[in-house]
Amino acid sequence: MGTNYGDWLKEQREVAGLTQQQLAEAAVMTRTHIAHIEAGRRVPSREDARRLDNVLNTGNVLSRFLPQGEAAVADYFEAARLLEQQAVMIREFALSFVPGILQTERYARAVLSTSLPPVSEEECDRLVVTRLERAKVLDDPVTPVVWALLDEAVLRRAVGGPEIMAEQVAHLVGLVESGRVRVHVLPFDLGCHPLMDGMVTFMEFEDQPPVAYSEGMRMGMLHDSPSVVRELQGRYDFALSDGLPLKESLALLRALAKDYGHHD
């Protein structure tokens, strides 16, 4: 794992005027364990992180951003993945596939197993696990707020076959019906729209400026320039204004789930 977590822990310990031994005693841990965490060689348990937060008066920061070990993602996506875990609002536009945090296990496996060059079954398993771990941001019933704007092609292309698509679309229906996620569909009959270049994700935070992440074939870019983020946000807003309203989008999702479910 990276040392960002450990570096921050060390900084907070030093601000508090504590040695590793003093912090270890106050948090009921060993000095060696503290040293390993600060060096990036160990990940604390959730209980350890909670005690460290209490001793250092850091709220729930060490608990909330507890590293999850090595994640299997493309190098160009790693920075965006970390920000995704911190966002208070996520707005997605998808042109080809259901956004990662909204994918079911079988849909994710169908997407990831078609990569070229092919990946081993073991590697595919690692990639699927990472994608499902990302989806855990939805476990919190409130944060982050998630909107998904989907090109109709995302729903019409039967990734993995009708059975997998029926399950995936039904999952989207459930998220919308629960109020956890808003989904809007850009219908085919709209024609061209300003987001046809590729997918884009916008992330907003409590304590830092918003960022955008765009991705194409084997490349991705994180945008933090305010002017670029505004431009991409303008495209998103323009396209969203032409999308189907929430109720109509939900009706389409229900109809497609039913159609896929009845497919032989």
Side-chain angles (χ1 to χ4, degrees), residues 135-147:
K136 288 183 178 180
V137 297
L138 299 177
D139 289 350
D140 187 304
V142 178
T143 304
V145 174
V146 177
W147 292 4

Side-chain angles (χ1 to χ4, degrees), residues 1 5 37 42-50 52 60-69 85:
M1 81 177 185
Y5 186 94
I37 295 171
R42 295 285 189 277
V43 176
S45 68
R46 293 201 175 277
E47 179 59 23
D48 286 344
R50 184 190 66 78
L52 289 169
N60 69 345
V61 174
L62 290 164
S63 302
R64 182 178 180 187
F65 299 119
L66 194 63
Q68 298 300 314
Q85 305 302 308

